[in-house]
Amino acid sequence: VSAAAAADSSSATPPVATNVGVNAVISKEVIDDAVEKLSSFVQSSFRSVERTYTNFMNPGNDSNPNHNNVDSNQILAGAVVAILCTSLLINLIKICTKVLFIFIPLYVVMVCTCPRASDFDAKKELKRILRGSDLPDDHPDKPKSWLEKTAAKISASVQVELTTAAGYEVSIENYFNAFQVALVRVHAINSEFVFIGCLNKWMKLYDRQYDQ
């Protein structure tokens, strides 16, 4: 019985070894096939890169006529765009030159005739507004005769002195040394007046009421 069992056990062992050997052979074949495919892919990639580089460096050697047509169209389109951009730039330079020829002399005149901030007299400018000096000649409220002008001057002086007695604020901003903007706030009447100083004089821009 022992000899028969030993014979049976010895005869049962080889199939296990055979299965292991078959699995090893299959695994080796799979690995070899994967390595071969990977190697083929790498070689084809290198050949594609090399061909692309060669065509880029030597466009005349390209055997594909469609590719040459595409390159010609791209070159033509680039040339058209370059011409349009150059024309636009030239026209822009011409316009800027004309504007500068007008702006520079005007700027110089405005700088030379810009009044100083210390010359601004808030009460004087307010009186001038109240007596109607800035109104056009055909305005119905503008004094015409000497008597009307005298009465308007006295009335304006009294009003300005009374309204500014409670206090007023003056702030002046300089812009590029070409003109100045003065803001006068009169607290008694909750009003502010904006003046611009240029060309050796001060002119009222607007006036408005403000909330306390």
Side-chain angles (χ1 to χ4, degrees):
V1 175
S2 298
D8 292 337
S9 62
S10 60
S11 60
T13 303
V16 176
T18 302
N19 292 334
V20 174
V22 171
N23 293 334
V25 171
I26 293 175
S27 300
K28 185 175 183 303
E29 290 179 353
V30 171
I31 293 173
D32 291 341
D33 185 57
V35 170
E36 183 178 358
K37 289 182 179 180
L38 180 61
S39 177
S40 177
F41 174 75
V42 171
Q43 291 178 2
S44 63
S45 299
F46 274 112
R47 283 195 298 268
S48 177
V49 171
E50 183 180 4
R51 185 166 54 253
T52 303
Y53 176 78
T54 303
N55 292 334
F56 178 78
M57 296 301 295
N58 301 300
N61 295 332
D62 193 357
S63 59
N64 189 357
N66 295 327
H67 182 71
N68 293 332
N69 293 333
V70 172
D71 289 342
S72 300
N73 293 333
Q74 290 177 351
I75 293 173
L76 181 60
V80 172
V81 171
I83 293 173
L84 292 176
C85 291
T86 304
S87 177
L88 180 62
L89 181 61
I90 292 174
N91 292 329
L92 184 62
I93 291 174
K94 290 181 180 179
I95 294 173
C96 291
T97 303
K98 293 179 181 179
V99 171
L100 289 177
F101 274 130
I102 298 173
F103 176 75
I104 291 177
L106 178 62
Y107 177 74
V108 172
V109 171
M110 293 185 68
V111 169
C112 295
T113 59
C114 180
R116 294 177 299 179
S118 58
D119 294 337
F120 179 75
D121 189 343
K123 289 185 177 182
K124 178 182 176 180
E125 297 299 329
L126 292 175
K127 291 176 183 179
R128 185 177 60 82
I129 293 172
L130 291 177
R131 68 173 181 259
S133 297
D134 59 338
L135 297 175
D137 294 335
D138 57 349
H139 197 279
D141 294 335
K142 188 177 180 64
K144 302 293 190 300
S145 63
W146 175 85
L147 184 60
E148 290 178 350
K149 291 180 180 179
T150 302
K153 185 180 295 184
I154 295 174
S155 176
S157 298
V158 173
Q159 291 183 41
V160 169
E161 293 299 333
L162 290 177
T163 54
T164 57
Y168 64 95
E169 298 177 3
V170 178
S171 59
I172 301 177
E173 294 289 339
N174 186 295
Y175 293 90
F176 311 106
N177 293 325
F179 62 93
Q180 303 198 62
V181 177
L183 174 65
V184 181
R185 297 173 65 94
V186 182
H187 304 299
I189 56 177
N190 295 332
S191 299
E192 61 181 15
F193 303 84
V194 180
F195 301 86
I196 182 172
C198 63
L199 303 177
N200 290 326
K201 63 181 179 179
W202 292 91
M203 297 171 289
K204 190 191 79 169
L205 289 179
Y206 65 89
D207 62 274
R208 68 182 184 88
Q209 300 286 324
Y210 67 88
D211 297 331
Q212 289 183 343

